[in-house]
Every structure is written in structure tokens, then in C-alpha cells.
Amino acid sequence: ESSIVEADNAKDVNEFDIEFKNVSFRYNKNSENVLENISFKAKEGETIGIIGSTGCGKSSLVSLIPRLYDVTEGEILIGGVNIKDIKLNTLRDKIGVVLQESILFSGTIEDNLKFGNKNATTEMMEESAINAQAFEFISTKEDGYQSKVEQRGKNLSGGQKQRLSIARTLIKKPKILIMDDSSSALDMATEAKLQNAIKTNMTDSTVFIIAQRISGVMDADKIIVMDEGQIVDIGTHEELLQSSEIYRSIAVSQLGEEVLENV
């Protein structure tokens, strides 16, 4: 039986501003907190980047939004409503999650895309494929959208699997999009095109992008820098280059000293 239960008077929501208020979280009562006193706001339509070292709590943070786990302390509000008071179906129907490890199913490319929206038209599949930078490799296949996909996508490259997973989520047109290091197998040019397509075509969605690479978050409206389960800095790319030692050191190591020239 799931430990995530729906409130008796659970309601729908029509606004998708998100607020974390003093949120702490641990996986069980005998473990230590993996998140400590997390507070921030994300306005509807904003893109929020999250960056930090491996194991600092980035994935745990975004896992709380669709209630894959419940907070240990504090609360998360969507549209001003505590997520524990929102209907589970409503909450999860409005959220799209793309993970770093792409899970694809045996069948066709179309089958996998329609897993995101079983009523999707050909035009919708094409649009999501174009935005996910998957259209080019799909169109070069002899059978196009009817091309076979083996279990877990074993007959596709890592980048192709990630792009199909992203397309499958975009076809859902989620109000909240969570991308958990989901472009790690893409080269920087393709990643930049993907970020631009999402920014251009999902202006009404609140987007969370977890990334190991600065290039994945530098254009976000707000970047959260995490360390050991806590938020240590929040700001834009330019602001953080000036104010955040952790962010600046990551930027210099990945992009070189020239990233500081205009700071």
C-alpha cells in the first residue's frame, strides 16, 4: 500500500506557481536529512536551473514535486495550495518528468511517443520530435515513426534514447516540466537547440532543469546552487558568477577563465 495518500477533500489547481517553504526531507525516519530547510519560489512560466555536485540532493528535491515522496518537514505549494491537498491524478497529470536514464519500451517509435499522450496526432508527434531534436534521426529511418524500438531502446544510441524520452514528455504538454540531467548524452550544440526550443514553445510551463553542465542551466531565469542538501545560492548566471564561489568554480572548470571576462 502506498504511503502517499490523497486528502479527503483534495482539490484541482489551475495555477502553477511553485513554492518550497522550509522543506526538509529524509528517506526514512532513521536516516539523516538529504534536504535541509529548502525555500524558494518559481513563478508559472519560469525556467529554474538546479546545479551542484553529485549527491547534493538535486534529484531528491524535484522528486517531491509530483509527490514521489512526501516532505519530512515544511510544505510545497502549487498555485498556493499545499500539494498534499491536490488530487494526485491532477498533480501528476500536469507534471512531465524526463530522467537521465531513458526508459523506452519494445514496440515502435510511435508507441513510445504515444505513451506520453495516447491521443496524440501525427502533427503532435512531429512537433514534439522537432522540439526534442529527435525529428532528424527519426526521419532518416526507413520506417519513420513505425521503426522498431527494442526493449529499453537497445538498438538506439544514448543521445537518441534521451531525445525520444524528451519528445515523449513534451507531447504531454505538461504545466510543470522536470528534466533531471536528461540531456547528458547530447553534444553542447544539440543541447543548446533543445533548451531554445523548450524556452520558445513552453512559455506557459514551469520548467526545472537539473544539469551537471553549466551550459544546461546558464540561460535559466533563476539558477539554484546546491551543496550537501542545502541551497547555497540563487540567482541568474551573471549574478552567480559574481556572488557564488561554488558556481564560479564550476563555470571556470567547464568553460574556462574567459567566462569571467565580462563579470
Side-chain angles (χ1 to χ4, degrees):
E1 189 175 324
S2 175
S3 60
I4 307 296
V5 293
E6 188 173 282
D8 291 335
N9 298 315
K11 58 188 80 171
D12 292 321
V13 285
N14 298 308
E15 296 177 0
F16 295 91
D17 289 358
I18 298 171
E19 182 177 5
F20 276 61
K21 294 176 77 173
N22 308 115
V23 169
S24 294
F25 171 69
R26 56 180 176 267
Y27 282 99
N28 60 66
K29 60 184 179 184
N30 299 316
S31 65
E32 294 183 358
N33 282 352
V34 293
L35 296 172
E36 191 82 47
N37 198 28
I38 300 291
S39 294
F40 69 90
K41 293 180 181 179
K43 293 178 185 171
E44 186 171 339
E46 271 190 331
T47 297
I48 308 297
I50 305 177
I51 198 164
S53 59
T54 302
C56 70
K58 303 184 296 292
S59 294
S60 298
L61 187 153
V62 295
S63 295
L64 299 175
I65 299 171
R67 287 190 74 193
L68 301 184
Y69 307 96
D70 271 339
V71 302
T72 307
E73 297 171 39
E75 60 180 350
I76 300 171
L77 309 175
I78 296 180
V81 179
N82 189 314
I83 61 171
K84 292 182 180 179
D85 296 324
I86 299 171
K87 291 178 182 174
L88 270 173
N89 279 349
T90 298
L91 179 68
R92 291 173 179 171
D93 191 49
K94 300 294 185 185
I95 297 174
V97 182
V98 193
L99 302 173
Q100 180 179 8
E101 185 182 352
S102 310
I103 306 298
L104 298 175
F105 308 103
S106 56
T108 64
I109 289 176
E110 180 175 334
D111 294 336
N112 275 275
L113 292 179
K114 285 191 171 180
F115 192 80
N117 179 353
K118 65 179 187 296
N119 299 315
T121 62
T122 303
E123 289 75 20
M124 290 168 70
M125 286 196 296
E126 208 154 277
E127 181 188 2
S128 68
I130 289 169
N131 290 335
Q133 309 306 307
F135 181 74
E136 190 175 330
F137 89 80
I138 294 172
S139 59
T140 60
K141 289 184 172 291
E142 190 177 337
D143 296 323
Y145 292 97
Q146 300 310 313
S147 300
K148 291 291 181 198
V149 176
E150 292 179 12
Q151 187 73 27
R152 289 185 168 268
K154 283 189 288 191
N155 59 328
L156 299 171
S157 71
Q160 289 172 340
K161 286 192 284 188
Q162 283 194 335
R163 283 177 279 171
L164 273 188
S165 295
I166 293 166
R168 178 178 61 195
T169 304
L170 296 184
I171 209 169
K172 186 179 178 182
K173 296 196 180 298
K175 291 296 295 179
I176 299 169
L177 173 63
I178 297 169
M179 299 184 68
D180 189 351
D181 206 15
S182 54
S183 58
S184 57
L186 306 183
D187 60 72
M188 289 180 70
T190 305
E191 182 182 48
K193 290 178 187 172
L194 170 67
Q195 305 287 5
N196 187 54
I198 289 173
K199 205 174 185 74
T200 303
N201 296 291
M202 300 196 68
T203 51
D204 295 334
S205 299
T206 309
V207 181
F208 289 85
I209 300 173
I210 292 177
Q212 300 288 347
R213 298 188 298 212
I214 287 272
S215 59
V217 299
M218 59 193 294
D219 291 329
D221 298 304
K222 191 181 293 176
I223 302 168
I224 294 172
V225 184
M226 293 188 67
D227 189 41
E228 296 185 352
Q230 296 181 311
I231 292 177
V232 290
D233 291 294
I234 298 180
T236 63
H237 174 68
E238 288 75 17
E239 289 167 350
L240 291 172
L241 284 175
Q242 292 183 319
S243 64
S244 172
E245 193 174 318
I246 292 175
Y247 188 83
R248 190 163 55 243
S249 66
I250 297 171
V252 169
S253 68
Q254 292 183 6
L255 304 174
E257 291 284 350
E258 58 269 22
V259 75
L260 302 176
E261 286 178 5
N262 298 317
V263 174

